[in-house]
Amino acid sequence: LDSNSCDQIDVMQITVNALPEPDAGVDTTICDQLIAVSYSATPVGGYWSGTGIDSTGLFMPFGVDTFDVYYHYTDGNGCYNEDTLSITVDSTVYADAKLDKQVCIDSGLIQLEGLPATGTWSGLGISSTGLFTTSVVDTLDFVFTYGEGNCLTRDTMELIVNPLPIVDAGLDFAVCVDDTIQTVVGSPLNGQWSGVGVIDPIGKFNPDLAGVGVHTLTYYYLDSNSCDQIDVMQITVNALPEPDAG
């Protein structure tokens, strides 16, 4: 209405826009290793804030706790909203492959056991569950892995496959039944003898005790790697002749 009492109208429209609905993702659990974890949200174009996270969504776990971080987003209409992501940081469970180990080449199928038991093994010739068959003399490194993502940890153990000792019981020989006690010597030294007529495992054989016949003696040797081997020898105990003077 103007000063002449003349009036008129006009109209305007105001658009009330909905707020955007940013999605920071599903709450998550990670481990307290100093390995950064990258988070993404929708729609793209927003920024992050909160303890331990940078504006691009890179979070560094620096302690065991639960952390709330925030994704901020402003849409093309200038409307703003945010969403919260809860990150739980747990203590890391570390893979343990246990101590290095030595076995003998004749050990056959062996089972390696790491902790936690649900971890997995990898390496030349080993199954994921830790089964390995000894076939050649070698030194092998096996990796035991547990967890995933930033909770992934690894540990390595060394397996040495040792050869068997070379054992020699010596040459076969013959004695008379009335001969004195015989000393038998195997190689390497410090093994043990067994068999009929052996009266001392260090290598003493009594022909009279064994009696007439062919006797197999076994020489057993255990080396410094706890690998063992045997060899055998035969001792023929001959009967005395029976001369007849008439």
Side-chain angles (χ1 to χ4, degrees), residues 117-135:
T118 53
T120 57
W121 290 92
S122 61
L124 183 62
I126 195 169
S127 74
S128 62
T129 59
L131 291 173
F132 178 78
T133 301
T134 57
S135 58

Side-chain angles (χ1 to χ4, degrees), residues 58-77:
L58 198 64
F59 179 81
M60 180 64 75
F62 57 86
V64 174
D65 207 341
T66 297
F67 302 89
D68 285 339
V69 296
Y70 309 95
Y71 182 66
H72 309 267
Y73 180 75
T74 302
D75 65 14
N77 297 315

Side-chain angles (χ1 to χ4, degrees), residues 202-219:
I202 66 172
K204 300 297 182 181
F205 174 78
N206 187 331
D208 182 54
L209 180 64
V212 173
V214 179
H215 303 283
T216 299
L217 271 60
T218 300
Y219 184 64

Side-chain angles (χ1 to χ4, degrees), residues 108-166:
L109 184 66
I110 63 173
Q111 174 72 63
L112 298 183
E113 296 179 350
L115 291 174
T118 53
T120 57
W121 290 92
S122 61
L124 183 62
I126 195 169
S127 74
S128 62
T129 59
L131 291 173
F132 178 78
T133 301
T134 57
S135 58
V136 295
V137 174
D138 205 350
T139 298
L140 303 148
D141 287 331
F142 295 128
V143 178
F144 183 68
T145 304
Y146 178 76
E148 59 185 8
N150 96 313
C151 295
L152 180 70
T153 60
R154 297 181 178 89
D155 192 24
T156 301
M157 67 88 66
E158 182 179 81
L159 179 70
I160 298 175
V161 182
N162 291 308
L164 299 182
I166 298 173

Side-chain angles (χ1 to χ4, degrees), residues 174-204:
V175 295
C176 296
V177 70
D178 66 344
D179 275 346
T180 60
I181 292 174
Q182 305 292 303
T183 298
V184 287
V185 180
S187 175
L189 298 175
N190 301 318
Q192 289 191 326
W193 289 92
S194 63
V196 175
V198 174
I199 59 174
D200 191 327
I202 66 172
K204 300 297 182 181

